């Protein structure tokens, strides 16, 4: 339970005590995954854009994506900027990265001065890579938020961001902390013209795979994970089965089932849940079930999973 409830007096009755969601208990586990934002790019309800935290001994050691709205969930979950070992962004669509600047802005008020690795894909003709993205935000002359440029060099009391630009043509280890037993491998995935990554997070003997936004042609990703049996596979529930959907960007449910069957996680967590998929959820889950028979859950914002 990381939300801090402060009471002005002792006279409050049990009836108005806020009961934390039961899922929060899982976040107190030594290793846990918390979905901060379980939604997609359309503002269509209570779901923030894509974002998740990996907790280790009560510390938010890894932030994966910071989509639109993640900033609010970050605060609600009690995440501390000081505790991050790294931030990893899967790709530079706004529903995955728009609140990175808001979180850096917030972190500027923290005590953190230790350098902070920020991981993301390299660029292409169509998209800036991680370094260009950070400079577009933070460059002291041209950055949109140039007042935060201390993040580029560690000046002005800011933590220096250490950019780790991952190759988008082969899997690579992008972060390792031997003491904490945390290792992150970036695995390229196919997401139209967008340079995009999945992340394999190995943490104290547990494994979480963030599949990210990917289409059905991401076979190299599946092959890279064959035989690993991760504890959790986070897959994105973006489009329903059937025609007329943007399959160049995302896997339809049948393809999620195929991917999950091949990777064989102990738990499949569906996130990035868009209404167009959710309104057909029974058919979507049936399509996944044709191939994958293991445990599966549709995540909401702030949902926690113990590992
Ligand atoms: Zn997305």
């Amino acid at each position: 339970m990381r939300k801090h409830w402060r009471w002005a007096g002792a006279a409050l009755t049990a009836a108005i005590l806020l009961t934390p969601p039961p899922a929060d208990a899982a976040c107190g586990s030594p290793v846990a995954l918390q979905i901060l934002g379980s939604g997609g790019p359309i503002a269509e309800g209570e779901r923030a854009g894509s974002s998740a935290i990996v907790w280790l001994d009560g510390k938010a050691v890894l932030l994966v994506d910071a989509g639109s709205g993640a900033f609010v969930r970050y605060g609600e979950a009690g995440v501390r900027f000081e505790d991050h070992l790294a931030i990893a962004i899967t790709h530079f669509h706004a529903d995955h990265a728009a609140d990175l600047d808001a979180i850096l802005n917030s972190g500027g008020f923290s005590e953190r001065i230790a350098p902070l690795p920020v991981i993301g894909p390299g660029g292409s003709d169509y998209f800036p890579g991680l370094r260009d993205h950070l400079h577009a935000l933070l460059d002291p002359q041209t950055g949109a938020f140039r007042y935060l440029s201390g993040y580029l060099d560690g000046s002005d009391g800011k933590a220096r961001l250490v950019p780790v630009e991952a190759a988008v043509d082969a899997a690579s280890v992008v972060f390792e902390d031997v003491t904490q037993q945390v290792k992150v491998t970036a695995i390229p995935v196919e997401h139209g013209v967008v340079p995009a990554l999945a992340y394999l997070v190995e943490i104290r003997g547990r494994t979480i795979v963030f599949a990210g936004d990917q289409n059905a042609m991401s076979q190299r990703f599946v092959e890279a994970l064959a035989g690993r049996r991760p504890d959790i596979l986070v897959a994105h529930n973006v489009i329903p089965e059937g025609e007329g959907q943007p399959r160049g960007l995302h896997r339809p449910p049948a393809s999620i089932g195929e991917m999950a069957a091949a990777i064989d996680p102990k738990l499949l967590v569906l996130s990035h849940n868009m209404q167009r998929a959710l309104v057909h959820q029974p058919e979507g889950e049936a399509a996944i079930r044709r191939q994958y028979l293991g445990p599966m859950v549709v995540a909401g914002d702030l949902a926690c999973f113990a590992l």
Side-chain angles (χ1 to χ4, degrees), residues 33 37 48-49 60 82 86-87 97-98 143 154 168 174 185 201 205 257 259-260 286:
L33 164 70
E82 295 91 323
I87 293 175
V168 290
V174 286
T185 303
V201 178
M259 168 180 70

Side-chain angles (χ1 to χ4, degrees), residues 47 237 268-271 273 278 281 285 296-300 305:
R47 296 174 189 272
N237 188 28
L268 173 63
V269 174
L270 297 178
S271 192
N273 297 294
L278 291 172
Q281 194 60 23
E285 290 189 20
M296 172 167 67
V297 60
V298 177
F305 304 94

Side-chain angles (χ1 to χ4, degrees), residues 31-232:
V31 182
L33 164 70
Q34 185 168 28
I35 301 296
L36 294 184
S38 64
I42 300 177
E44 55 185 3
E46 62 201 14
R47 296 174 189 272
S50 192
S51 187
I53 285 286
V54 179
W55 293 97
L56 179 63
D57 295 332
K59 293 189 171 180
V61 292
L62 186 66
L63 172 67
V64 178
D65 277 348
S68 346
F71 167 81
V72 173
R73 301 290 180 255
Y74 185 98
E76 288 176 317
V79 174
R80 285 165 29 100
F81 188 73
E82 295 91 323
D83 292 341
H84 297 327
L85 294 178
I87 293 175
I89 303 294
T90 58
H91 64 289
F92 290 105
H93 272 151
D95 56 314
H96 297 259
D99 272 6
L100 177 61
D101 40 4
I103 286 169
L104 293 176
N105 193 44
S106 174
F109 290 84
S110 77
E111 298 294 311
R112 184 189 187 112
I113 50 169
L116 174 58
V118 180
I119 305 155
S124 71
D125 290 346
Y126 305 100
F127 270 75
L130 171 73
R131 286 174 189 279
D132 286 349
H133 185 90
L134 291 179
H135 275 276
L137 294 176
L138 303 171
D139 185 276
Q141 267 79 49
T142 59
F145 300 110
R146 63 195 75 168
Y147 74 98
L148 296 174
S149 64
Y151 275 116
L152 291 183
D153 62 3
S155 65
D156 195 26
K158 301 287 190 297
R160 182 172 62 87
L161 303 183
V162 182
V164 181
E165 219 171 66
V168 290
D169 57 356
S172 57
V173 175
V174 286
F175 177 82
E176 186 157 23
D177 184 322
V178 175
T179 310
Q180 299 286 339
Q181 299 177 56
V182 180
K183 182 176 168 186
V184 181
T185 303
I187 306 171
V189 291
E190 302 299 326
H191 188 43
V193 299
V194 191
L197 302 169
Y199 288 110
L200 162 65
V201 178
E202 295 166 272
I203 178 163
R204 205 179 283 167
R206 276 75 157 190
T207 308
I208 307 168
V209 175
F210 295 91
D213 282 1
Q214 60 170 267
N215 67 25
M217 294 185 295
S218 305
Q219 194 52 32
R220 282 183 308 171
F221 160 79
V222 174
E223 287 164 8
L225 293 166
R228 275 197 170 265
R229 188 118 215 264
D231 292 279
I232 292 178

